[in-house]
Amino acid sequence: MKKSMRIAVAAAGVLALSLSACSGSDAGKKADGKGAASEANLTVWAPQEDQTDSNAWLPKMEAAFEKAHPEYKITWKNAVVSEGDAAKTVNADPAAAADVYLFANDQLGSLLEATAIGELSDEGMEQLKKQNSETMIASVSDKDGKAYGLPTEPNTWFMYYNKAKFSAEDVKSLDTMLAKGKVAFPLSNAWYYPSFYVGAGGTFFGENGLDAKAGINYGPKQEEVTKYLVNLAKNANFVNDVEGAGLGGLKSGTVDAIFSGAWDAKNVQEALGDNYAVAALPMYNLGGEQVQLRSFSGSKAAAYNPNSKNTKIASQFAAFLASDEAQKAHYEIRGTIPVAKTLAADSTISKDPVAVALFEVIANNSILQPTIKEMGTFWEPGENFAKAIVNGEITESNAAEKTTALQEAFNK
């Protein structure tokens, strides 16, 4: 699963910085009578790429925040912790963790259990609702409806293709594509293949992805979907995308389309050159009915630590990192696609085919990747099931039996 980019953490340095972050912040003086210090030490955790020098995104946003809030005098202490490593690093000692950090939203349940993530203020909720689709709002929400963190970028996948091989009309149908060229799809990857079941009515923990009692349901057409996947795996024009087979095939000309995320945009552009094209997710033919693929969708988000001595400033800065201004700057500096729907019509972003595809998938072709801890029971058996399809162990004749057994295993 490619749910977030992993970056090594210098543990000793991070711990030293984090300890000084929250313990040192009591030097701030409460001056406004609202629990906010006019002077504060704030530690912020973010990926290495966002803080390489003073021209990197994080330092620029800190400077912009200071300019917007001249009433504060802030000493910044930045440390390298990627979004994917946030929960385990925060949970090691929540009281000594950073005041503000970025995290992948599938870690929300763990952060809540550790009491290490702060609830949004009324202003934060207003910003969340203004900027985001329902799926993105749900990505940072708990079962009680309260929200924690503000999305800064989307985390889902879509399609890249060779426009010399497929037309814009062709890529609306997976079956049409398979009839005309080679299509690579990560069928044995548990983050990708559920899109076939979800499109046909399957659900993960209810309609909102937060109902643990609802369990995992592959839907009313689960047997037919499994049979479709069995035949897909045997199709001569299908390539199971493992260990870079899809991207490698694009480079060599032996593959004409792959399914991946924004992280592969540069590599795909280099592979396809003038034939580079991007689209949202196609439909597939299930017993004569056109079914829309629907991916898991999540976010990376900015949050503040409720254990901080300066929660007001910390929460304000976390919200600033998710602002339209900050998301657009992230795009301009690093090419990070924004999640804010309020930026969809921006003159620059609206011309980016990856951004267009992402906005379409988030709005119409995806469901929330559940953040509740019960989702952890899915990944290993889900992947084993998919590998059994690819390896031919699951067939049309045993599809019903194997799919039913999988669901029983999920929901014990």
Side-chain angles (χ1 to χ4, degrees):
M1 294 170 290
K2 190 157 188 178
K3 290 186 286 186
S4 54
M5 299 301 293
R6 300 285 178 178
I7 301 172
V9 178
V14 168
L15 181 59
L17 283 170
S18 63
L19 286 170
S20 64
C22 291
S23 62
S25 61
D26 57 8
K29 300 175 182 177
K30 294 182 179 181
D32 61 1
K34 298 178 182 179
S38 60
E39 299 182 16
N41 291 346
L42 290 184
T43 286
V44 183
W45 289 349
Q48 179 67 56
E49 296 94 332
D50 285 329
Q51 49 182 312
T52 52
D53 54 44
S54 61
N55 291 315
W57 179 68
L58 182 59
K60 279 184 172 292
M61 293 306 97
E62 290 169 343
F65 183 75
E66 288 181 341
K67 185 176 181 180
H69 291 279
E71 72 274 22
Y72 298 149
K73 182 179 179 181
I74 303 172
T75 300
W76 303 98
K77 297 188 177 183
N78 299 334
V80 175
V81 178
S82 72
E83 298 97 336
D85 289 327
K88 70 178 181 181
T89 312
V90 169
N91 291 354
D93 188 350
D99 300 277
V100 177
Y101 57 87
L102 302 175
F103 72 102
N105 83 292
D106 61 331
Q107 302 168 11
L108 180 59
S110 176
L111 290 165
L112 284 168
E113 284 189 358
T115 319
I117 188 166
E119 181 184 346
L120 294 185
S121 64
D122 291 344
E123 292 82 3
M125 284 298 299
E126 183 178 348
Q127 177 179 337
L128 178 68
K129 292 176 180 179
K130 180 180 178 181
Q131 289 183 303
N132 294 282
S133 67
E134 290 300 319
T135 300
M136 290 298 99
I137 292 172
S139 76
V140 292
S141 298
D142 192 23
K143 291 174 283 189
D144 60 8
K146 296 177 181 179
Y148 303 81
L150 285 152
T152 58
E153 62 179 290
N155 190 25
T156 190
W157 50 273
F158 45 90
M159 179 168 57
Y160 295 101
Y161 68 96
N162 183 338
K163 66 182 181 182
K165 193 74 174 184
F166 302 123
S167 69
E169 188 65 26
D170 291 337
V171 298
K172 295 178 181 179
S173 167
L174 178 60
D175 301 287
T176 298
M177 294 174 68
L178 288 164
K180 291 188 172 185
K182 291 276 189 179
V183 179
F185 183 90
L187 185 54
S188 57
N189 188 314
W191 198 45
Y192 289 84
Y193 85 84
S195 58
F196 289 88
Y197 292 94
V198 172
T203 58
F204 279 71
F205 304 106
E207 292 301 320
N208 64 2
L210 298 171
D211 184 358
K213 292 181 180 179
I216 296 172
N217 186 343
Y218 270 17
K221 298 184 177 181
Q222 58 182 290
E223 179 181 349
E224 294 95 322
V225 176
T226 300
K227 288 180 179 179
Y228 180 92
L229 296 180
V230 167
N231 288 307
L232 175 64
K234 294 189 294 186
N235 191 308
N237 273 346
F238 171 77
V239 175
N240 185 36
D241 193 352
V242 292
E243 298 179 354
L247 184 58
L250 285 181
K251 292 178 179 178
S252 66
T254 58
V255 166
D256 303 307
I258 69 170
F259 294 79
S260 186
W263 53 84
D264 264 337
K266 183 178 180 180
N267 291 328
V268 176
Q269 284 179 296
E270 291 174 353
L272 293 178
D274 292 341
N275 292 321
Y276 170 78
V278 182
L281 303 181
M283 295 184 176
Y284 72 102
N285 188 327
L286 186 66
E289 177 188 357
Q290 291 299 309
V291 174
Q292 175 67 59
L293 290 180
R294 299 186 69 197
S295 65
F296 283 138
S297 186
S299 66
K300 296 178 183 179
Y304 74 95
N305 187 344
N307 299 291
S308 170
K309 297 295 193 300
N310 293 293
T311 53
K312 182 174 181 178
I313 300 177
S315 66
Q316 287 176 335
F317 183 61
F320 185 80
L321 289 179
S323 66
D324 284 7
E325 175 187 344
Q327 288 191 44
K328 186 171 182 181
H330 214 182
Y331 177 78
E332 293 170 345
I333 294 169
R334 274 191 61 196
T336 301
I337 303 298
V339 70
K341 63 183 182 181
T342 45
L343 289 172
D346 179 89
S347 59
T348 301
I349 295 168
S350 63
K351 296 176 183 177
D352 187 323
V354 171
V356 173
L358 273 171
F359 282 123
E360 173 66 19
V361 170
I362 291 169
N364 301 310
N365 302 161
S366 67
I367 64 166
L368 172 69
Q369 179 179 317
T371 56
I372 59 177
K373 64 181 180 181
E374 287 81 3
M375 185 63 180
T377 65
F378 165 73
W379 301 113
E380 184 175 354
E383 184 168 310
N384 290 338
F385 177 78
K387 288 179 177 178
I389 291 175
V390 172
N391 295 335
E393 298 164 21
I394 296 178
T395 64
E396 285 193 86
S397 61
N398 66 15
E401 172 193 349
K402 295 293 186 180
T403 311
T404 298
L406 177 69
Q407 285 204 110
E408 289 177 351
F410 287 151
N411 297 316
K412 278 184 178 178

